[in-house]
Amino acid sequence: MSTPISPCTRRLFLKQLAAFAPLGAGAPMALNLAAASSAAAQTATDYKALVCIFLQGGNDAFNTVLATDASSWSRYSAARTQLPDSIALLKDVAPDFSAAAGTPKRLGGVLPLTPAMNLQGRSLALHPLLPYLQGLFNQQRKLAIVANVGPLLEPLTREQYKGGSKAIPSKLYSHNDQQSTWQALRPEGATVGWGGRMADMMAAADNSMFTAISAWGNAVWLSGQQTRQYQVSLDGAVRMGTTVDATGRSRLYNVPELADAMARVVRGGRSQHVMERDLAAVAARSMDAEKLLSAALPGASSKPFGPAELLNYADIRGAIGQNTLAKQLQIVARCISAQKALGLKRQVFFVNLWGFDTHNGQNQSHAGLMAQLNHAIAYFDGVITAMGMSDQVTTFTASDFGRSFTSNGDGTDHGWGGHHFVMGGAVRGGMVGGDIPVYGTRSQTGNDFDNSPDQIQNGILLPRLAIEQYGAMLARWFGLSNQDLIEVFPRLPYFAADKIPNLLRT
């Protein structure tokens, strides 16, 4: 049985009915929605996978997706051109290869976007080292942008924020807490994430230990009430201290009988104590899972996953090395390829790119991360497309938070709202969901931005879209009903249903 949503007031009940009235017969008519999965989830016959690329440390959204209309660009340049090291990117200039690596001059101009919609006089561009994403947006139409997303308890204006008339999320600007909030809608200490809850909704379709897979250690986003995440190494399923010979038999110290004996000991335990039985059950599950997954996984060097050189990229100084994010996405792609053998219809995956806490040396560090992200997405999109599964795999980004509009000299400080990407064949490419923020100018008396409705101190973005709205868009594509959405995102009714971005073809 799934866990009922938290107690709500009569006011919230009325909000729920009003907010979801336009959705028709599927709208919730009661708050206790403990009847778990929707009919669509229980009878799913197709396959779909969601892949979360987490940009750990707080990505600088202002230098990832840039507003380039004349007013925005003037204000952006004024806020970010600061000694000793300007972090303002350039526009309409060629790269100067005599300049230092990572500097705006060396990077050249930002990459203009050609949206498939009217932006009402606004224009956008991407960081100079995101050319593959530019192509996905402009030509292939397989990438969309979701503007200014972040944690909210309810819609919040700048005046309400400054006046303290509405509640704001707790522990803003804290890395651990905001990583947890993005993944689990609560600060650090949460044990259930919205990716795992989506997997719970689909459990009737799969009932598999491979529904939620992390290629980057423990990720609370993948943990559900019933769903337990399965962690893989970059090379595949994790073995319990053994190797495998050419016949597929496990060996310990090159002796198969020792491996068999160890397996019996670990599975059996030494007593009937409940904790020891539980430990033996976990070990048995791990060994069984390793055998199943290893047998189903295609080789890393086989097409379209290899050869190994596909995982190499050139950093901002021209050095060639393996891209760890691409390597994570390789094992994700191999697991997706194994879905038929494993009998899966829905999966959620988590990968991580670390290093976005760019307080210092942002030009070099952020540029390097953009190059890594661009290559990894190019690799993954190429593999998934070659597998013929582009329409069935949707990839999206998340991060602790955005960063400040102002510079601290050669970097940025912690922020709030930020921009994100959604990629795949099911994406309404070239579209922008949410509202492009209005850039302001710094007040003469401090770091406030009084002439922007979207910015607070240090030019930090005040989110216009909640994580719940972003997640609901993905969850609808995944197959969840309107009732399921409320179970996964209990605060969703606080936000207008017609503001959920419509960027995915279901």
Side-chain angles (χ1 to χ4, degrees):
M1 178 181 295
S2 58
T3 302
I5 63 174
S6 57
C8 299
T9 61
R10 179 177 181 274
R11 175 171 166 268
L12 176 55
F13 176 78
L14 296 175
K15 275 179 175 283
Q16 288 176 321
L17 296 184
F20 281 84
L23 301 181
M29 297 305 296
L31 293 181
N32 185 6
L33 302 178
S37 300
S38 66
Q42 293 175 8
T43 60
T45 58
D46 58 346
Y47 173 82
K48 290 183 178 181
L50 272 175
V51 182
C52 175
I53 300 178
F54 200 85
L55 309 178
Q56 184 180 346
N59 178 43
D60 180 19
F62 288 115
N63 271 16
T64 304
V65 179
L66 304 92
T68 56
D69 47 277
S71 175
S72 298
W73 192 257
S74 173
R75 294 178 175 191
Y76 163 85
S77 299
R80 297 209 142 191
T81 303
Q82 182 172 325
L83 294 175
D85 193 10
S86 171
I87 60 168
L89 297 176
L90 305 177
K91 186 170 70 163
D92 301 327
V93 298
D96 178 358
F97 294 108
S98 68
T103 60
K105 286 185 178 181
R106 177 65 173 265
L107 296 172
V110 294
L111 306 176
L113 296 177
T114 55
M117 60 186 294
N118 187 347
L119 296 185
Q120 306 297 322
R122 308 299 299 279
S123 58
L124 295 174
L126 297 181
H127 188 281
L129 294 185
L130 295 177
Y132 193 85
L133 275 71
Q134 180 195 34
L136 283 177
F137 188 93
N138 287 352
Q139 285 86 37
Q140 298 186 54
R141 297 301 196 199
K142 291 169 63 176
L143 181 140
I145 293 167
V146 184
N148 198 11
V149 191
L152 290 169
L153 299 179
E154 58 185 318
L156 182 67
T157 67
R158 186 178 189 278
E159 291 70 28
Q160 290 166 339
Y161 169 80
K162 290 184 69 68
S165 61
K166 284 192 175 181
I168 64 173
S170 63
K171 299 182 179 180
L172 290 171
Y173 316 121
S174 160
H175 284 293
N176 292 349
D177 291 296
Q178 293 310 300
Q179 289 165 17
S180 179
T181 298
W182 259 93
Q183 295 183 42
L185 307 176
R186 290 181 178 82
E188 187 175 24
T191 58
V192 176
W194 55 271
R197 291 293 290 121
M198 287 195 296
D200 285 345
M201 296 292 104
M202 308 305 291
D206 285 339
N207 192 28
S208 168
M209 66 182 76
F210 302 116
T211 299
I213 296 180
S214 173
W216 180 269
N218 184 56
V220 69
W221 183 71
L222 294 173
S223 295
Q225 296 287 1
Q226 291 85 34
T227 301
R228 288 183 282 182
Q229 62 180 289
Y230 183 79
Q231 298 175 25
V232 295
S233 74
L234 296 182
D235 296 313
V238 179
R239 300 188 186 281
M240 189 172 289
T242 62
T243 59
V244 175
D245 62 21
T247 68
R249 188 171 182 186
S250 295
R251 289 173 174 265
L252 181 62
Y253 299 114
N254 206 32
V255 180
E257 289 77 15
L258 281 178
D260 294 342
M262 185 184 76
R264 288 193 298 272
V265 170
V266 172
R267 287 176 180 274
R270 296 174 298 175
S271 75
Q272 292 302 306
H273 191 281
V274 63
M275 294 184 67
E276 188 158 351
R277 291 203 308 271
D278 285 347
L279 181 61
V282 169
R285 176 179 179 270
S286 177
M287 288 188 289
D288 292 341
E290 183 273 321
K291 288 183 179 179
L292 283 171
L293 187 57
S294 294
L297 279 181
S301 60
S302 62
K303 290 184 178 182
F305 314 104
E309 289 75 18
L310 290 176
L311 300 175
N312 292 340
Y313 82 113
D315 68 18
I316 58 173
R317 292 172 177 80
I320 305 298
Q322 187 180 84
N323 186 340
T324 56
L325 179 60
K327 182 67 172 173
Q328 291 176 63
L329 289 170
Q330 182 191 64
I331 186 59
V332 168
R334 291 170 63 200
C335 289
I336 290 172
S337 180
Q339 53 88 16
K340 284 187 178 179
L342 296 172
L344 297 169
K345 297 183 179 69
R346 292 293 186 274
Q347 286 182 287
V348 288
F349 296 91
F350 184 91
V351 298
N352 187 84
L353 179 58
W354 177 88
F356 285 90
D357 195 19
T358 51
H359 289 283
N360 304 103
Q362 175 163 313
N363 282 328
Q364 288 73 31
S365 57
H366 192 254
L369 291 163
M370 292 293 99
Q372 196 173 354
L373 179 65
N374 183 76
H375 169 264
I377 287 175
Y379 169 81
F380 189 60
D381 179 61
V383 170
I384 293 299
T385 300
M387 291 165 56
M389 300 189 70
S390 183
D391 291 348
Q392 297 162 276
V393 180
T394 294
T395 305
F396 68 99
T397 62
S399 188
D400 317 19
F401 35 63
R403 302 194 76 82
S404 61
F405 194 44
T406 55
S407 167
N408 62 17
D410 65 344
T412 51
D413 294 316
H414 297 179
W416 191 348
H419 311 314
H420 290 284
F421 299 118
V422 184
M423 297 153 281
V427 172
R428 301 181 193 278
M431 302 294 286
V432 180
D435 299 322
I436 302 170
V438 174
Y439 295 168
T441 53
R442 191 186 324 213
S443 65
Q444 295 182 350
T445 58
N447 281 337
D448 209 347
F449 283 68
D450 295 323
N451 56 348
S452 168
D454 299 309
Q455 291 177 296
I456 53 177
Q457 68 274 5
N458 293 321
I460 289 167
L461 286 179
L462 179 65
R464 292 299 181 192
L465 277 177
I467 298 169
E468 285 86 347
Q469 292 166 293
Y470 186 37
M473 173 190 71
L474 299 165
R476 279 180 174 172
W477 173 81
F478 202 56
L480 273 68
S481 72
N482 294 325
Q483 291 185 344
D484 294 333
L485 293 182
I486 305 298
E487 280 218 53
V488 175
F489 306 104
R491 297 196 67 86
L492 184 61
Y494 277 108
F495 305 96
D498 61 359
K499 293 294 184 181
I500 296 174
N502 183 25
L503 300 178
L504 286 161
R505 303 178 188 88
T506 54

